[in-house]
Amino acid sequence: MTDYRIKHPVENQAAAPKVQRLNARLENERKYGQILPRVAPKSWVLRWLLSWNPFGNPSQWDDMVIGVLDPPSRSVWIYDEEQQMTLWRKGFFGKGNLSRSEPTWLKREINRLRVEKRGGKELTAEEITAKRREIRKQFKQERANAIAAAEAEAELSFAANPESNPTITTVIPSAQTAGLQKKLQETIGAHESSLLPELTEDEIPRNMEHLQLSLQEALFLAWVVGCLDLRSASGGPITLQAFWAQCFEVSSPFLPKRIDNPFLVHYVAYHHFRSLGWVVKSGIKFCVDFLLYKRGPVFHHAEFAVMIVPVYEDEADCASSPNPLPNSGPISWQWFTTVNRANAQVMKTLVLAHVIIPPSRDIEPSLYDSPEILSKFKVKEVLIRRFVASRMRD
């Protein structure tokens, strides 16, 4: 595999952080550059046609991923480690059940055991935070001393020669040139990872983590991408039609299929944004339904926070709903202020995704049994921004 990282020596030490950031971006491009899994078509004719172009190389096709439906958690679990990384690195689907996002529990556990085997002590998150604050406090003091020295040097230079510009040789450190992150790594001993003793085969723990897909992600992978092979807890295969029915059932148990089923409404919004090229992740952390990434969490923070607003074309469907959908009724200004302020503080633009729910009287009963019913829905977006007079004059 081609390595695009820059390997030549850096003559200007000030440029070293830039080269490191560039190498990190190139490495991320190599790992996460593919936006979706690439599955070989089932037709031999299409496979033969694709073999004539570089994108049809069989070595670049991804294997089918096996997912196990877990109705109590309303999710699909991926157990195989290689398949987990395929879905995460090629579209950022799912999350590790023991990690914040990418499934890294096994890697963290092995590193912890290697530190303990060396006789060291793994720092807790609180201890690392305390050391980070101590390093930043020391850096601020050094920068303040450098600024004072530069000011004194400028005054002396100006007093000696008022006709010329002051000469300043004192270097004022910045957060980039000071290497705060490097100092932190040196403090906590992470830079010595290569010196840690290796674990024997018996000492390596069994991976206890699985990748957890939401029902919306699982349906998109199984129906649109075609790379997910669904199984039941007993190992039996689940057809797409059976999975579609179970999504309705686990979303609204003991209720008949309705046009305003919560799973259906959420999948319409998920499918809408995924089809437009956005990486869609859960937004529960920011009190919204979804977060939209241009490329993925590895490259940038989410720019938009999506709140689903169901809109009934027939008010009778809303009145007869046994479980009214969130935000389907009148929305108060207090609600707008709360949600918008929460997302404005984290540099995200609030998007109201109005999902237009068609009248149930116009839906044939057979349409509830397949994803064809999605064509009856419409989605309209409205951006909500906080007006700041001093920033928006231009």
Side-chain angles (χ1 to χ4, degrees):
M1 183 176 294
T2 306
D3 189 354
Y4 297 99
R5 292 177 295 179
I6 299 175
K7 299 180 179 179
H8 58 77
V10 181
E11 298 180 359
N12 185 2
Q13 294 300 323
K18 295 182 180 180
V19 174
Q20 293 175 358
R21 290 194 296 270
L22 177 59
N23 284 335
R25 285 198 298 267
L26 292 176
E27 182 67 13
N28 286 340
E29 289 285 351
R30 183 185 68 82
K31 286 184 178 180
Y32 310 101
Q34 187 173 323
I35 59 175
L36 287 175
R38 188 180 297 125
V39 183
K42 297 181 180 180
S43 172
W44 69 269
V45 177
L46 291 177
R47 290 199 300 269
W48 179 79
L49 292 174
L50 288 174
S51 64
W52 290 91
N53 66 77
F55 297 100
N57 189 345
S59 63
Q60 298 180 350
W61 291 338
D62 298 307
D63 296 330
M64 292 291 292
V65 175
I66 297 177
V68 179
L69 176 63
D70 184 65
S73 64
R74 301 182 182 182
S75 61
V76 173
W77 295 0
I78 312 297
Y79 291 100
D80 185 82
E81 296 179 30
E82 184 176 350
Q83 294 177 0
Q84 291 178 17
M85 299 314 298
T86 296
L87 293 185
W88 176 257
R89 292 184 175 180
K90 299 178 180 180
F92 301 98
F93 291 95
K95 69 172 294 293
N97 69 313
L98 300 178
S99 304
R100 294 182 61 183
S101 54
E102 182 176 358
T104 58
W105 177 85
L106 181 60
K107 181 179 178 180
R108 300 194 312 270
E109 187 68 9
I110 290 176
N111 185 66
R112 183 185 66 82
L113 294 176
R114 291 175 66 190
V115 172
E116 290 182 355
K117 188 175 182 180
R118 188 184 60 183
K121 174 179 177 294
E122 186 182 21
L123 298 179
T124 64
E126 292 78 8
E127 292 172 332
I128 293 176
T129 301
K131 291 184 178 296
R132 181 184 292 110
R133 290 174 177 173
E134 182 180 350
I135 291 174
R136 288 194 63 84
K137 181 179 179 180
Q138 181 181 358
F139 160 71
K140 291 179 180 179
Q141 183 62 44
E142 293 175 354
R143 184 174 60 181
N145 295 338
I147 292 175
E151 292 176 349
E153 187 178 5
E155 291 178 359
L156 292 175
S157 177
F158 181 77
N161 190 359
E163 301 297 330
S164 62
N165 293 329
T167 302
I168 302 176
T169 59
T170 303
V171 178
I172 300 176
S174 64
Q176 289 75 22
T177 59
L180 300 183
Q181 187 64 25
K182 182 179 178 181
K183 291 182 179 179
L184 177 64
Q185 295 297 333
E186 292 175 351
T187 303
I188 64 178
H191 70 296
E192 296 179 354
S193 60
S194 59
L195 304 178
L196 294 177
E198 296 294 337
L199 299 180
T200 63
E201 186 175 352
D202 294 336
E203 293 174 331
I204 297 178
R206 183 172 65 92
N207 192 4
M208 305 295 292
E209 186 173 32
H210 60 261
L211 187 74
Q212 189 168 321
L213 300 174
S214 67
L215 296 179
Q216 289 78 19
E217 291 175 317
L219 179 60
F220 187 85
L221 289 170
W223 178 46
V224 179
V225 183
C227 69
L228 184 61
D229 184 8
L230 293 163
R231 305 288 178 85
S232 63
S234 60
I238 300 178
T239 63
L240 179 61
Q241 187 174 7
F243 178 66
W244 174 263
Q246 290 193 44
C247 288
F248 271 80
E249 182 178 349
V250 299
S251 181
S252 295
F254 311 112
L255 293 176
K257 293 181 180 179
R258 289 180 52 90
I259 195 64
D260 58 352
N261 183 279
F263 161 77
L264 182 58
V265 174
H266 279 73
Y267 182 78
V268 168
Y270 180 90
H271 185 101
H272 172 76
F273 290 109
R274 263 291 182 179
S275 300
L276 294 175
W278 293 95
V279 173
V280 185
K281 302 297 292 182
S282 173
I284 190 173
K285 181 179 179 181
F286 301 103
C287 305
V288 293
D289 294 296
F290 296 124
L291 296 178
L292 300 184
Y293 295 83
K294 284 186 177 180
R295 300 191 60 190
V298 171
F299 297 98
H300 303 284
H301 289 288
E303 185 175 352
F304 298 99
V306 178
M307 178 70 73
I308 297 177
V309 180
V311 179
Y312 289 88
E313 289 189 348
D314 188 355
E315 291 297 332
D317 292 333
C318 180
S320 62
S321 178
N323 294 319
L325 295 173
N327 308 323
S328 58
I331 299 177
S332 65
W333 284 109
Q334 290 84 352
W335 181 92
F336 270 117
T337 303
T338 302
V339 178
N340 194 35
R341 185 63 179 269
N343 287 275
Q345 293 297 320
V346 290
M347 306 300 292
K348 290 173 177 49
T349 301
L350 180 63
V351 178
L352 301 182
H354 292 84
V355 178
I356 312 300
I357 301 176
S360 59
R361 62 176 182 272
D362 297 338
I363 305 298
E364 298 180 3
S366 59
L367 286 179
Y368 288 104
D369 298 329
S370 72
E372 294 181 6
I373 196 174
L374 298 175
S375 61
K376 302 296 183 179
F377 288 80
K378 297 179 182 178
V379 178
K380 295 183 179 180
E381 307 99 340
V382 177
L383 268 67
I384 306 296
R385 291 185 177 178
R386 183 180 172 211
F387 177 76
V388 181
S390 60
R391 299 180 183 177
M392 300 182 176
R393 292 178 57 187
D394 298 330

